[in-house]
Amino acid sequence: GAGVSQTPSNKVTEKGKYVELRCDPISGHTALYWYRQSLGQGPEFLIYFQGTGAADDSGLPNDRFFAVRPEGSVSTLKIQRTERGDSAVYLCASSPQGQVHNEQFFGPGTRLTVL
Amino acid sequence: AQSVTQPDIHITVSEGASLELRCNYSYGATPYLFWYVQSPGQGLQLLLKYFSGDTLVQGIKGFEAEFKRSQSSFNLRKPSVHWSDAAEYFCAVGATGGYNKLIFGAGTRLAVHP
């Protein structure tokens, strides 16, 4: 079946602009995670959704970052007033439930470049 | 706070040679440990995981890992490396909170010589 998909695969924007990154999880997965992977680093947790609600947004770096999942499926990560330091690969993952033993299935990521 | 250390940034092995990738974690209780592989243009793929029980865990693609509580380690091994194993490997620990928020190490990039 289809895996986690993310669009766009690449996004180039200018400093100060607004961007939206989309994640389509595996159908039926109630848990959805966003991570950010900077060059030469491992993924860093940003936010976790269980259904429609953000159960943990402790990883969001500041209030320029926001994410939604209005219908409990597709999620959008929104970044306002982008900065060069936001350049990274943004990864989305989903799992059947938000339990520690459930495997997280990752998408290919969106590479964001802020000029 | 939980953390994961992968001491080796880059490792090169010959095809057919054995492999061991190191992972050390910091965690106050019994950890939930994972190894993921990331190939260029691909998403992260789970190789194996440890929650409890047998400390030697078998995974996909011929990989295994051993949990050693006394050393706070969860090293990944493979007896004979194939050229297709060239990729980046990440060790991760499942954070507290009752759900699977992962904390990753910085990764080890594996190159395989023919």
Side-chain angles (χ1 to χ4, degrees):
Chain A
V4 177
S5 62
Q6 293 185 245
T7 55
S9 56
N10 282 283
K11 176 70 177 179
V12 180
T13 191
E14 294 179 343
K15 180 177 180 293
K17 298 292 188 181
Y18 168 83
V19 297
E20 291 189 350
L21 312 179
R22 176 187 169 106
C23 172
D24 279 88
I26 292 172
S27 178
H29 282 192
T30 61
L32 186 145
Y33 303 80
W34 283 98
Y35 294 84
R36 179 169 71 173
Q37 186 174 17
S38 300
L39 193 62
Q41 300 297 316
E44 292 179 289
F45 170 80
L46 295 177
I47 187 170
Y48 155 66
F49 286 91
Q50 181 59 256
T52 60
D56 182 354
D57 64 358
S58 62
L60 296 178
N62 51 59
D63 61 5
R64 295 187 297 105
F65 288 74
F66 189 72
V68 296
R69 195 186 185 199
E71 298 180 356
S73 177
V74 171
S75 176
T76 304
L77 179 65
K78 307 180 181 191
I79 310 175
Q80 299 177 320
R81 305 183 303 281
T82 53
E83 299 177 358
R84 292 193 179 87
D86 299 335
S87 296
V89 176
Y90 289 81
L91 299 170
C92 176
S94 69
S95 70
Q97 300 174 39
Q99 301 298 317
V100 69
H101 58 276
N102 292 141
E103 177 180 349
Q104 291 186 31
F105 296 84
F106 283 81
T110 293
R111 182 176 298 279
L112 175 66
T113 303
V114 182
L115 302 176
Chain B
Q2 296 119 339
S3 65
V4 175
T5 301
Q6 294 182 247
D8 305 304
I9 297 172
H10 192 192
I11 283 182
T12 300
V13 299
S14 298
E15 191 169 17
S18 63
L19 172 70
E20 182 168 29
L21 302 182
R22 296 184 290 164
C23 172
N24 293 97
Y25 64 90
S26 173
Y27 191 76
T30 300
Y32 301 96
L33 295 162
F34 307 81
W35 274 100
Y36 280 83
V37 60
Q38 186 176 42
S39 299
Q42 305 291 318
L44 286 157
Q45 181 182 22
L46 180 67
L47 287 175
L48 46 79
K49 59 188 177 185
Y50 171 79
F51 294 150
S52 64
D54 193 345
T55 56
L56 186 62
V57 180
Q58 301 298 318
I60 62 171
K61 304 185 179 186
F63 286 92
E64 66 178 27
E66 186 171 13
F67 170 62
K68 293 186 177 180
R69 183 187 300 276
S70 62
Q71 298 177 19
S72 298
S73 70
F74 188 56
N75 294 348
L76 182 71
R77 302 195 293 248
K78 187 169 185 177
S80 178
V81 171
H82 188 262
W83 64 267
S84 61
D85 292 324
E88 186 139 28
Y89 292 80
F90 294 94
C91 181
V93 63
T96 54
Y99 57 86
N100 200 0
K101 166 182 165 180
L102 297 175
I103 296 170
F104 287 86
T108 297
R109 181 165 296 280
L110 174 67
V112 180
H113 278 186

